[in-house]
């Protein structure tokens, strides 16, 4: 393979390419050229704190690109300690590239991953996001990147643009457009894909005029339905700043250690969970009940409308979409909170009253699922409200707007924890990337993946890369009449959308921005 900018027609163990900022040197890993930690924007610190991203400055000589950049500021969800991503001058806005052929004449399809984490946690350096298997097996160039989270990226701060995390994502896609040819990728053949908050970001990008033309296809895995009104986002930001005795303004917050902002937000989230009938919970409604403090803000400028509104209006009819969810989205969260198998009838009823749609949503769930236990009802309504129905409605909106979409559901139960997690939220990520034995994937899939897990992973990787290559994952497109859906399990099958009872309950619901409630 030819290495662009290296003056050599053969690849060594340290491949080099030249991007807009200068030359970068990566390394060869299992036949794939890998480049990590390349800045796509200036560090959002000092005078750039809470500002829109600016293009990264260049450098002299050859920059080493073998280590990931620091993660964006966030709380350590395992240890409870904050992470500021390293020294204050470190840049959290970096990209990573895996290429099976870093030759500018190669023009390979490009897949750009956006990680999830409730718009609050996450890092491209997590082992499950390693793009080696996808690049090598699928013949695609894989790009991952970091973007601002929590207060840094999504809080409504006076004097700062809204949706800074989404603007970071646009900047990373612009960097991809301008530089990916050097790695053998085709800048006109880009597919974005993401899971959970990453899928919500994909949905937002489909609705954003600033992102138009930066990608040709999109894959949305478990789209959350949480988008905020500016008033709700501003009220939450005020509460987070109050924890530090400050106002939610650039003037007050620009000098605060990012780690302290992450801790302040965590404190507010904990308060909302501990007492759901507090004044905050009454103001924030469903967001407080699920301890959701950050989400894309429908501000009318960066994000003019919700994805469901925008797609139904034809905003991305020329972008092919692959969308889907897992069957048991809520199960993992139920286990984390210690409620697995412990949900009381009262807790199930409260969940139905808070999250089911319409004036008699609770009754409709009980009628549709007459034999469901409290645990099942609790998980059904949470799964439907947060992920399953937003994903289905996104697919339906794309069809209504004149676009093409392919729908799937993952029903294969995770073997981890004795199979108690079912087809839970996040299970699709290791299967799509093929990284089955490290970090969280080991918890879900087990220390020793079974042949069935490996085979399912291979099928899903093949479908994702086929879609990124030719807009055809291998099953019929979704239409509102037949509702054909690819079900991924030990024996995959194409069938009518499986969650018909939930579909009917939610068919008249509109996923509008979550509002600040009047007191």
């Amino acid at each position: 393979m030819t290495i662009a900018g290296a003056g050599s027609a053969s690849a060594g163990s340290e491949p080099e390419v030249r991007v807009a900022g200068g030359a970068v040197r990566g390394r060869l890993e299992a036949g794939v050229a890998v480049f990590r930690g390349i800045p796509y924007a200036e560090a959002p610190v000092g005078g750039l704190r809470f500002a829109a991203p600016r293009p990264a400055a260049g450098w002299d000589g050859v920059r080493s690109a073998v280590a990931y950049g620091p993660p964006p500021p966030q709380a350590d969800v395992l240890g409870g300690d904050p992470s500021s991503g390293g020294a204050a001058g470190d840049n959290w806005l970096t990209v990573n590239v895996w290429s099976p052929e870093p030759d500018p004449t190669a023009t390979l399809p490009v897949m750009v991953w956006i990680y999830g984490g409730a718009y609050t946690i996450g890092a491209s350096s997590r082992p499950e996001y390693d793009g080696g298997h996808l690049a090598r097996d699928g013949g695609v160039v894989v790009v991952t990147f970091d973007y601002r989270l929590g207060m840094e990226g999504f809080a409504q701060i006076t004097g700062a643009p809204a949706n800074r995390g989404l603007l970071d994502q646009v900047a990373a896609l612009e960097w991809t457009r301008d530089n990916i040819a050097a790695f053998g990728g085709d800048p006109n053949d880009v597919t974005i894909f993401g899971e959970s908050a990453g899928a919500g970001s994909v949905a937002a990008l489909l609705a954003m005029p600033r992102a138009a033309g930066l990608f040709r296809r999109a894959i949305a895995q478990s789209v959350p339905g949480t988008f905020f009104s500016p008033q709700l986002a501003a009220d939450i930001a005020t509460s987070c700043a109050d924890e530090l005795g400050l106002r939610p303004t650039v003037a007050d917050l620009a000098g605060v250690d990012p780690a302290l902002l992450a801790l302040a937000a965590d404190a507010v989230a904990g308060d909302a969970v501990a007492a759901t009938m507090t004044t905050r919970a009454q103001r924030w409604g469903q967001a407080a009940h699920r301890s959701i403090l950050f989400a894309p803000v429908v501000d009318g400028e960066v994000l003019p409308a919700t994805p469901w509104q925008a797609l139904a209006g034809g905003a991305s009819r020329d972008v092919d979409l692959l969308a889907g969810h897992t069957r048991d989205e809520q199960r993992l969260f139920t286990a984390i909170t210690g409620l697995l198998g412990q949900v009381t009838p009262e807790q199930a009823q409260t969940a139905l009253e808070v999250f089911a749609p319409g004036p008699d949503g609770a009754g409709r769930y009980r009628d549709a699922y007459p034999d469901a236990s409290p645990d099942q009802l609790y998980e059904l309504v949470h799964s439907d409200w947060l992920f399953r129905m937003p994903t289905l409605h996104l697919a339906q909106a794309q069809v209504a707007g004149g676009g093409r979409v392919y729908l799937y559901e993952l029903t294969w139960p995770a073997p981890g924890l004795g199979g108690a997690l079912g087809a839970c939220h996040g299970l699709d990520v290791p299967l799509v990337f093929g990284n089955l034995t490290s970090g969280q994937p080991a918890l879900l899939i087990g220390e020793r993946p079974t042949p069935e897990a490996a085979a399912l992973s291979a099928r899903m990787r093949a479908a994702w890369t086929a879609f990124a290559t030719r807009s055809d994952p291998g099953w019929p497109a979704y239409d509102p009449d037949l509702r054909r859906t690819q079900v991924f399990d030990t024996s995959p099958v194409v069938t009518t959308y499986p969650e018909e009872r939930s579909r009917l309950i939610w068919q008249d619901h509109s996923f509008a921005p979550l509002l600040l409630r009047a007191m």
Side-chain angles (χ1 to χ4, degrees):
M1 73 188 122
T2 303
I3 305 301
S8 170
S10 62
S13 60
E14 296 185 331
E16 293 182 15
V17 302
R18 179 168 293 277
V19 297
V24 293
R25 180 184 295 122
R27 63 185 175 198
L28 206 60
E29 300 178 4
V32 175
V34 185
F35 304 82
R36 297 181 173 92
I38 306 171
Y40 68 84
E42 285 292 284
V45 297
L48 298 182
R49 185 85 177 273
F50 303 118
R54 298 185 185 180
W59 55 86
D60 297 326
V62 180
R63 181 187 181 99
S64 175
V66 299
Y68 290 107
Q74 59 193 275
D76 181 345
V77 294
L78 296 178
D81 295 325
S83 167
S84 62
D90 285 347
N91 190 356
W92 318 311
L93 306 183
T94 61
V95 301
N96 320 292
V97 182
W98 287 258
S99 176
E101 192 174 357
D103 180 338
T105 66
T107 62
L108 298 174
V110 180
M111 299 184 69
V112 181
W113 170 253
I114 306 174
Y115 56 70
Y119 307 101
T120 304
I121 59 173
S124 65
S125 57
R126 292 181 65 92
E128 54 263 43
Y129 303 148
D130 185 286
H133 289 293
L134 276 176
R136 183 171 54 255
D137 300 341
V140 297
V141 177
V142 178
V143 178
T144 68
F145 64 91
D146 286 296
Y147 59 97
R148 283 173 283 183
L149 301 166
M151 290 287 288
E152 301 292 324
F154 291 93
Q156 192 81 347
I157 296 174
T158 301
N163 297 305
R164 296 171 299 282
L166 296 179
L167 293 177
D168 290 346
Q169 295 171 14
V170 171
L173 289 170
E174 290 172 338
W175 183 94
T176 300
R177 175 196 63 197
D178 297 339
N179 294 281
I180 205 63
F183 299 89
D186 184 348
N188 298 310
D189 197 9
V190 173
T191 298
I192 59 174
F193 68 129
E195 184 266 347
S196 196
S201 297
V202 167
L205 290 166
L206 286 165
M208 289 172 58
R210 298 188 191 197
L214 292 175
F215 52 92
R216 185 174 175 181
R217 304 177 189 88
I219 303 175
Q221 305 169 210
S222 301
V223 180
T226 49
F227 282 69
F228 286 175
S229 68
Q231 295 78 19
L232 174 60
D235 199 65
I236 292 173
T238 297
S239 292
C240 293
D242 278 347
E243 289 289 321
L244 301 172
L246 300 171
R247 300 168 301 166
T249 67
V250 170
D252 272 23
L253 300 181
V256 177
D257 186 330
L260 292 180
L261 289 186
L263 284 177
D266 274 6
V268 172
D271 289 346
V273 170
T276 56
M277 293 310 293
T278 64
T279 301
R280 285 177 181 171
Q282 294 175 41
R283 292 201 310 265
W284 302 344
Q286 293 166 324
H289 283 269
R290 283 303 300 245
S291 189
I292 297 171
L293 298 189
F294 303 106
V297 180
V298 183
D299 66 310
E301 181 179 351
V302 175
L303 186 59
T306 67
W308 301 275
Q309 291 174 307
L311 266 61
S316 287
R317 64 167 57 95
D318 295 329
V319 177
D320 292 329
L321 175 63
L322 171 62
H325 56 73
T326 70
R327 180 186 58 201
D328 307 307
E329 291 280 5
Q330 172 63 22
R331 188 75 54 82
L332 178 64
F333 305 107
T334 305
I336 290 173
T337 56
L339 287 176
L340 196 60
Q342 305 296 320
V343 176
T344 66
E346 292 76 19
Q347 288 171 319
Q349 182 62 25
T350 297
L352 290 171
E353 291 172 355
V354 171
F355 296 106
D360 189 33
R364 296 184 68 189
Y365 263 95
R366 292 190 181 279
D367 290 343
Y369 298 95
D371 299 323
S373 67
D375 293 89
Q376 291 169 325
L377 287 169
Y378 181 89
E379 291 193 5
L380 279 166
V381 72
H382 277 287
S383 294
D384 286 341
W385 175 78
L386 188 53
F387 295 116
R388 298 202 308 181
M389 294 304 105
T391 302
L392 174 64
H393 282 218
L394 191 75
Q396 294 175 159
Q398 178 71 339
V399 172
R404 181 169 57 177
V405 60
Y406 298 87
L407 189 67
Y408 74 90
E409 181 178 47
L410 175 62
T411 61
W412 180 74
L417 296 183
L421 296 179
C424 65
H425 185 71
L427 178 61
D428 50 323
V429 175
L431 294 172
V432 165
F433 276 90
N435 302 318
L436 306 181
T437 59
S438 57
Q440 184 176 344
L443 170 67
L444 300 178
I445 296 176
E447 295 293 338
R448 296 182 179 180
T450 63
E452 289 79 9
L456 179 58
S457 175
R459 281 194 293 269
M460 294 186 73
R461 290 201 310 277
W464 265 235
T465 54
F467 178 76
T469 300
R470 55 182 182 273
S471 292
D472 183 359
W475 65 87
Y478 182 87
D479 70 80
D481 296 322
L482 298 177
R483 300 189 293 280
R484 289 173 293 193
T485 305
Q486 173 69 64
V487 175
F488 283 106
D489 209 318
T490 304
S491 299
V493 64
V494 176
T495 185
T496 302
Y497 179 65
E499 312 305 335
E500 177 68 5
R501 287 178 287 181
S502 290
R503 185 190 73 83
L504 291 174
I505 292 172
W506 289 82
Q507 64 181 344
D508 297 323
H509 181 75
S510 173
F511 283 96
L514 299 183
L515 302 176
L516 179 66
R517 295 181 174 184
M519 294 296 295

